[in-house]
Amino acid sequence: MPEGKTINARGGSGERRMADIRAQLHFTSGALHFSLEMFGDHIAKREGYKAHDGLEAVRFYLINKHGWLPRDVNAMSFEEIRFLLAEEMHDWTLPIEARESYPHLGREAWEVGS
């Protein structure tokens, strides 16, 4: 067997399995980023923002709610922002229209609080 190749339980190469895992990781990460942007639209509507939507609305909200500096909020990763908003996002679900952007995921995948 060539160096760096392994056979997994399904008979495929370990490299192929790793590629599948990485692809799923990146797809899921993208879906989480997308849902955070959509939650920003929800915040903008709820708060009556006129000039901010998506991730910009999320950042604007955190700045106003906590009195943090824009440079500090802008330095936060998506994971940190999701952590900070987890309680507020608990009962929120992605609007049905937006779910069509990732149609092969079931409803459960979009229910943040589940």
Side-chain angles (χ1 to χ4, degrees), residues 13-25:
S13 75
E15 288 178 3
R16 170 62 192 267
R17 180 73 180 129
M18 183 57 69
D20 290 348
I21 291 168
R22 287 177 176 153
Q24 185 61 44
L25 173 67

Side-chain angles (χ1 to χ4, degrees), residues 42-62:
H42 167 76
I43 288 173
K45 184 176 181 181
R46 183 186 72 197
E47 301 295 318
Y49 297 162
K50 306 266 187 265
H52 302 291
D53 62 3
L55 188 58
E56 208 174 80
V58 168
R59 288 186 169 130
F60 187 68
Y61 175 74
L62 291 172

Side-chain angles (χ1 to χ4, degrees), residues 44-103:
K45 184 176 181 181
R46 183 186 72 197
E47 301 295 318
Y49 297 162
K50 306 266 187 265
H52 302 291
D53 62 3
L55 188 58
E56 208 174 80
V58 168
R59 288 186 169 130
F60 187 68
Y61 175 74
L62 291 172
I63 289 164
N64 286 314
K65 181 177 181 180
H66 299 289
W68 296 334
L69 295 173
R71 71 169 179 253
D72 295 331
V73 175
N74 289 334
M76 292 178 186
S77 68
F78 276 93
E79 292 79 14
E80 291 167 328
I81 292 171
R82 284 188 69 83
F83 173 76
L84 293 169
L85 294 173
E87 289 299 318
E88 291 185 56
M89 292 180 79
H90 183 73
D91 292 324
W92 177 80
T93 57
L94 191 68
I96 291 171
E97 318 79 65
R99 293 178 202 171
E100 294 171 3
S101 296
Y102 288 86

